[in-house]
Amino acid sequence: MEVESKYKNYEVEDFVQDDDFRCWINSPNEILISFWTNFQKDYPEKSGSILQAKRIVNALFIEESVILPEDYQDSLGKLKIYLDEKLSNKTPAKWLKVNWRNVAAVLLMPILAVSIYLYSSKNLIQSSGQVVQYVVPDGQKSKVILADGTQVWLNSGSTLSVSMDKNNRRKVQLVGEAFFDVTKDKSEPFLVETKNYSVKVFGTQFNIRAYKDQAESETILKEGSISLFTHSNEEIKMAPGQRFFLDKTKKYSVSEVNPDIYISWKDNVLKINNEKLQDLLVRMEHWYGVKIQVDNYDRVKDLKYTLTIKTESLREMLDLMSYVTPLNYKIEGEKVIVKYIIN
Amino acid sequence: MSEKLKNQIVWDEFRKGSKMALETIYEDNYSSLYHYGQKFTQDNDLIKDLIHELFIELIDSGLSLSRTDNIRYYLLKSLRNKLLRLFSEKLKFTNKLTESADFNLVDSIESQLIKNEVEEQLRNQVTTVLKKLSAKQQEIIYLRFYSDLSYQEIATLFDVNIQTVRNLMSRAMNSLKEDLQSKNMTKHLILFILNCSI
């Protein structure tokens, strides 16, 4: 009765704001049910306010998703290791700071679709061990952390094959574009194999672009040093800030560049620096996951663009381009048709 | 032992670097943080990343962390700051107001109504009413009703005085009271309430 009297002057909004009242409606227990039934009997004049309050509480009701320990175990596990390393005055490894389980989850869908299979081709990764493929669909980006701590950012439409064999854990195969931040290990080089050449490193940061559907491919070195090996086993040593470019005729050249322009995609920035339309189109197709068809392609393919795209949509990007060079476009699902207005 | 005292002790242990305290705090608060974050963004991975990052920062700060007797409040506040900072940085580049980090309770409620198989007409009516509440009002309702923060804590979180929070809440209550009263809605809502209580 004493508790009941607390409520006798309550109005609708007071009931709604009362924790026990809301609990009675949202997740009632016996005690609450009997209390509120008695209260309504003792104070029938309150039934109108109670009904109204109920309505409000009901309208505000949400049942949050259930979180299971496996949803956060990886993150918590890392935090514990991180704490341990801090306490023993070590500098904790960088990867502990990143909650990459999410990245793995993003990847898992495509991985499951492709699944783990026995790799048979001998000439690329010489191992009969299992190979895991990380497949990133067009329009998406992902990050993988390998067993040795090496971090790999995968651009859209790329596939990274990693051997599960312990002896080959620093050998990977790439189709597409990736930025590597390789963990230093002097005793064992890290090897990336692509369609036309392979890259050998000990610990450094570099970007490789070698898509299946593009004849040209390139490697940009940001830090450290790397060696490239062509099919004819020629070794090309690269210094930071250099770009190795392999053209359609399999001829290569090395030039000095600003690496950030080539690496910006990993931070969700698409930097186009005085690039020809024909190259830009390929980048756009991978960035947005679309196929772009350009009318009178031969007449416009050498148009040059300088753009920085951050979160702009495909539509916004095309609008930007049409400011510089008048064009009309039509987006039909995954197909884009572009018509330049040429006088 | 009172909740406050328990909080103080666990937090102190955490500041000193206790792994057990870290585990307790993480496990006790993960859901609250995650669900709170979901009201700002639908990018669940982003929320998970931010929670991880938040704990890394807490571990890094160690003894220099200030003391608290309400860990949940402390964590929610930190996550909120992280989210707002992130979105304001994004905003600088995009200028798109649609991408701002507005607290949004209506979407959660709407999906709840869908889950409860509430018919579309009523669902729309309820959400229309709720959409009239400002983001702040929605956040106050959530923090008070679902995160169990006190008005004082909410006031500190928003950096306003407690009366402002109370006023916002009572205005929200009044508008809900009026709008959920209209004849048509009453009929439907009574059916809805009946369904819910069965």
Side-chain angles (χ1 to χ4, degrees):
Chain A
M1 227 26 186
E2 216 175 279
V3 189
E4 278 193 8
S5 63
K6 166 186 160 191
Y7 291 108
K8 70 175 187 244
N9 294 320
Y10 265 40
E11 292 303 326
V12 180
E13 53 272 33
D14 305 317
F15 282 120
V16 177
Q17 291 180 66
D18 185 82
D19 292 351
D20 286 327
F21 182 86
R22 284 196 316 276
C23 191
W24 167 51
I25 290 161
N26 289 337
S27 51
N29 60 39
E30 267 176 55
I31 301 170
L32 286 170
I33 293 172
S34 90
F35 173 82
W36 286 102
T37 320
N38 285 332
F39 178 81
Q40 280 170 291
K41 252 185 242 155
D42 294 342
Y43 296 92
E45 69 275 18
K46 287 284 157 209
S47 59
S49 307
I50 288 180
L51 184 66
Q52 246 186 309
K54 249 186 181 182
R55 228 177 270 156
I56 297 176
V57 174
N58 271 321
L60 293 172
F61 178 70
I62 36 172
E63 200 172 25
E64 299 282 19
S65 59
V66 180
I67 308 276
L68 300 169
E70 52 257 45
D71 294 329
Y72 57 71
Q73 246 158 21
D74 279 76
S75 157
L76 179 56
K78 277 186 179 178
L79 291 169
K80 284 201 244 169
I81 302 172
Y82 187 83
L83 181 64
D84 268 343
E85 299 202 353
K86 274 235 118 163
L87 291 177
S88 49
N89 281 323
K90 277 188 252 170
T91 315
K94 260 197 221 161
W95 60 271
L96 291 168
K97 291 192 175 192
V98 196
N99 176 32
W100 57 277
R101 189 195 142 80
N102 298 322
V103 182
V106 174
L107 282 166
L108 268 179
M109 273 191 318
I111 294 168
L112 283 179
V114 178
S115 99
I116 297 167
Y117 67 101
L118 280 169
Y119 205 77
S120 53
S121 166
K122 272 180 251 143
N123 54 342
L124 289 164
I125 295 178
Q126 280 168 354
S127 143
S128 58
Q130 281 182 316
V131 169
V132 180
Q133 274 199 331
Y134 298 91
V135 182
V136 185
D138 279 350
Q140 290 185 28
K141 276 177 220 96
S142 281
K143 188 180 162 195
V144 187
I145 298 182
L146 306 178
D148 67 340
T150 294
Q151 303 183 53
V152 188
W153 284 259
L154 287 164
N155 207 346
S156 61
S158 303
T159 302
L160 182 77
S161 307
V162 183
S163 167
M164 290 276 102
D165 184 345
K166 269 198 177 158
N167 300 321
N168 272 327
R169 60 178 200 147
R170 277 167 72 87
K171 261 190 203 173
V172 300
Q173 203 200 339
L174 172 74
V175 179
E177 180 164 21
F179 178 78
F180 292 86
D181 187 350
V182 176
T183 307
K184 282 199 175 64
D185 183 350
K186 284 207 171 128
S187 62
E188 197 189 346
F190 188 92
L191 203 68
V192 187
E193 310 198 322
T194 71
K195 190 169 57 173
N196 291 314
Y197 55 92
S198 55
V199 180
K200 190 169 151 187
V201 302
F202 289 94
T204 180
Q205 296 185 346
F206 60 99
N207 192 78
I208 298 184
R209 190 156 64 96
Y211 279 106
K212 201 166 56 189
D213 50 354
Q214 282 174 275
E216 301 103 344
S217 76
E218 63 181 18
T219 292
I220 289 96
L221 178 62
K222 187 171 183 212
E223 255 180 53
S225 68
I226 55 179
S227 284
L228 271 72
F229 295 89
T230 60
H231 276 337
S232 51
N233 235 343
E234 185 184 352
E235 181 178 358
I236 301 130
K237 284 205 167 119
M238 280 177 71
Q242 284 189 334
R243 170 184 185 238
F244 166 90
F245 182 75
L246 192 73
D247 70 15
K248 277 182 202 152
T249 59
K250 301 264 149 50
K251 270 192 204 132
Y252 74 81
S253 57
V254 176
S255 56
E256 304 289 327
V257 295
N258 171 6
D260 290 331
I261 291 169
Y262 296 87
I263 294 162
S264 56
W265 62 266
K266 87 175 191 356
D267 305 313
N268 286 324
V269 181
L270 181 65
K271 278 192 185 159
I272 308 295
N273 189 20
N274 203 23
E275 245 182 72
K276 283 186 188 164
L277 177 69
Q278 55 175 350
D279 298 322
L280 174 60
L281 288 175
V282 180
R283 283 186 189 244
M284 283 174 72
E285 286 184 340
H286 284 289
W287 184 264
Y288 292 111
V290 292
K291 288 269 165 259
I292 304 173
Q293 183 199 313
V294 179
D295 280 14
N296 284 320
Y297 178 75
D298 283 337
R299 288 185 61 186
V300 292
K301 69 181 200 304
D302 290 329
L303 284 174
K304 283 188 175 172
Y305 289 91
T306 298
L307 296 166
T308 298
I309 297 298
K310 264 187 119 81
T311 51
E312 281 84 354
S313 65
L314 175 61
R315 211 169 275 284
E316 287 167 313
M317 176 161 183
L318 289 162
D319 286 341
L320 274 176
M321 288 168 68
S322 73
Y323 281 129
V324 197
T325 46
L327 57 83
N328 293 318
Y329 63 86
K330 204 156 80 183
I331 303 178
E332 292 169 345
E334 289 181 357
K335 204 173 140 200
V336 183
I337 299 159
V338 178
K339 242 186 220 152
Y340 277 84
I341 303 162
I342 313 169
N343 297 321
Chain B
M1 204 191 290
S2 79
E3 260 324 289
K4 280 191 171 182
L5 190 58
K6 232 191 272 175
N7 268 264
Q8 267 175 7
I9 294 171
V10 175
W11 190 250
D12 264 355
E13 284 303 303
F14 174 70
R15 290 171 62 236
K16 284 182 216 151
S18 152
K19 213 200 279 184
M20 212 146 80
L22 164 68
E23 204 167 339
T24 311
I25 293 172
Y26 190 94
E27 289 185 333
D28 287 354
N29 294 287
Y30 187 84
S31 317
S32 300
L33 288 168
Y34 184 72
H35 292 140
Y36 181 56
Q38 280 185 315
K39 309 298 175 294
F40 285 96
T41 169
Q42 301 193 336
D43 186 345
N44 293 341
D45 288 339
L46 173 73
I47 305 166
K48 289 180 188 169
D49 289 347
L50 287 178
I51 296 175
H52 190 83
E53 218 179 277
L54 167 64
F55 274 91
I56 291 282
E57 286 164 14
L58 293 175
I59 294 171
D60 278 343
S61 307
L63 281 172
S64 58
L65 284 174
S66 53
R67 291 205 156 83
T68 183
D69 58 10
N70 188 341
I71 298 174
R72 177 152 308 160
Y73 163 72
Y74 193 102
L75 296 176
L76 287 172
K77 187 172 107 184
S78 314
L79 183 66
R80 184 176 197 269
N81 289 340
K82 285 185 89 65
L83 276 161
L84 296 189
R85 213 175 312 133
L86 186 83
F87 282 104
S88 72
E89 271 165 29
K90 260 197 184 169
L91 259 182
K92 263 188 244 160
F93 294 105
T94 56
N95 283 327
K96 259 187 286 175
L97 286 168
T98 43
E99 288 187 15
S100 70
D102 272 346
F103 191 90
N104 182 340
L105 193 60
V106 184
D107 286 351
S108 306
I109 289 174
E110 189 169 14
S111 44
Q112 185 70 42
L113 294 173
I114 293 169
K115 215 170 105 196
N116 289 348
E117 294 176 353
V118 172
E119 59 178 278
E120 201 184 331
Q121 196 196 352
L122 172 62
R123 214 167 63 213
N124 291 341
Q125 283 172 334
V126 173
T127 48
T128 318
V129 171
L130 292 172
K131 275 180 191 151
K132 287 192 199 159
L133 301 178
S134 69
K136 267 261 153 67
Q137 285 176 316
Q138 294 179 33
E139 193 173 0
I140 292 173
I141 290 175
Y142 185 80
L143 289 171
R144 180 66 207 90
F145 292 0
Y146 291 95
S147 306
D148 290 322
L149 295 194
S150 68
Y151 284 115
Q152 184 56 60
E153 284 162 341
I154 299 172
T156 323
L157 190 78
F158 288 168
D159 204 12
V160 295
N161 68 45
I162 187 166
Q163 198 49 47
T164 311
V165 178
R166 285 190 191 281
N167 291 346
L168 280 167
M169 178 64 122
S170 89
R171 246 180 281 150
M173 288 296 125
N174 281 332
S175 91
L176 288 177
K177 201 165 83 179
E178 273 167 35
D179 287 336
L180 291 175
Q181 204 164 213
S182 63
K183 319 139 220 133
N184 217 347
M185 179 124 27
T186 313
K187 196 178 84 201
H188 287 291
L189 262 177
I190 289 173
L191 285 173
F192 168 47
I193 294 165
L194 284 175
N195 277 334
C196 279
S197 38
I198 295 164

